[in-house]
Amino acid sequence: MTPPAINMNSTASATTTGDKPKSSAFRIGLGDITVNNLGQIKRLNTVLFPVVYNSSFYKEILEVGEFAKIIYFNDVCVGGVCCRKEPIAGDKSSQNLYIATLGVLAPYRRLGLGSRLLTHILENAELTSSSEPKIGKVYLHVQKTNEEALEFYKKHGFQIAETLENYYPQFDDKDAYRLEKVLN
């Protein structure tokens, strides 16, 4: 299936092992999340995350534009990112951006796809139009035991801002870090 709107294309070489894609050249594209492909991001989130997101979550991501994307690998949907803008109480000129989900299917990790999604979000956060409040900070939550995610976000300039005990009471690994990156 061809993505509805590709913002980025690249051809790159991959030397992979194990169950990773064995293509020597591949195409990567970012696509908008629309009502026509909303089922794809719902299915991805079901596979990638232990949290079940409700219909209002998916309604909101249809309205955040560049802050919700699907990533395609050779025209196959393999990951996505969903964010929400959050006003700052008492500050009409600034807002924060919360990354609710960012994930890539396991066989497609370590190919730069998650980095492509995150870079897209960060670049667009810095380009907020003059008619909107400026995004001052991007933040998210990660389980304390998720070392792969912690390493990924730290590599992209995020820092641990807070440790939250029992943040995920429904899971065995209940504690989380709030990671954040302050933008210029």
Side-chain angles (χ1 to χ4, degrees), residues 1-182:
M1 176 154 109
T2 303
I6 293 185
N7 297 350
M8 298 178 179
N9 283 312
S10 66
T11 302
S13 295
T15 54
T16 59
T17 59
D19 60 352
K20 298 242 185 246
K22 297 188 184 343
S23 173
S24 61
F26 51 85
R27 291 180 317 280
I28 298 171
L30 290 183
D32 295 331
I33 296 176
T34 68
V35 293
N36 295 326
N37 65 13
L38 193 59
Q40 289 180 317
I41 197 72
K42 285 181 182 181
R43 180 68 180 134
L44 277 169
N45 285 348
T46 301
V47 171
L48 292 168
F49 306 108
V51 177
V52 176
Y53 295 95
N54 60 31
S55 59
S56 66
F57 171 83
Y58 291 104
K59 183 179 182 212
E60 284 179 29
I61 66 169
L62 288 172
E63 299 170 6
V64 294
E66 293 301 312
F67 297 112
K69 291 291 181 185
I70 291 177
I71 195 157
Y72 295 89
F73 180 93
N74 286 340
D75 299 332
V76 176
C77 178
V78 298
V81 61
C82 303
C83 303
R84 74 173 172 257
K85 296 175 186 175
E86 297 180 342
I88 299 171
D91 185 357
K92 293 185 189 293
S93 65
S94 297
Q95 61 186 337
N96 292 328
L97 186 69
Y98 180 68
I99 300 175
T101 65
L102 188 154
V104 174
L105 295 173
Y108 298 91
R109 292 182 188 152
R110 305 246 179 238
L111 295 174
L113 304 175
S115 292
R116 180 70 62 94
L117 288 166
L118 185 56
T119 298
H120 177 83
I121 294 303
L122 294 174
E123 286 174 354
N124 279 279
E126 290 179 348
L127 296 174
T128 306
S129 76
S130 60
S131 63
E132 289 186 61
K134 178 182 174 191
I135 295 174
K137 175 173 58 178
V138 179
Y139 77 103
L140 62 131
H141 294 94
V142 173
Q143 285 177 302
K144 281 179 66 174
T145 56
N146 190 342
E147 292 178 19
E148 184 179 10
L150 289 169
E151 177 186 326
F152 171 79
Y153 287 109
K154 285 180 177 181
K155 179 177 86 174
H156 289 282
F158 283 77
Q159 297 180 339
I160 296 173
E162 183 178 15
T163 302
L164 303 162
E165 293 182 15
N166 208 32
Y167 184 79
Y168 298 108
Q170 68 274 38
F171 304 128
D172 290 337
D173 297 326
K174 298 177 182 331
D175 298 341
Y177 291 122
R178 182 174 55 81
L179 303 177
E180 67 180 39
K181 181 172 184 168
V182 176

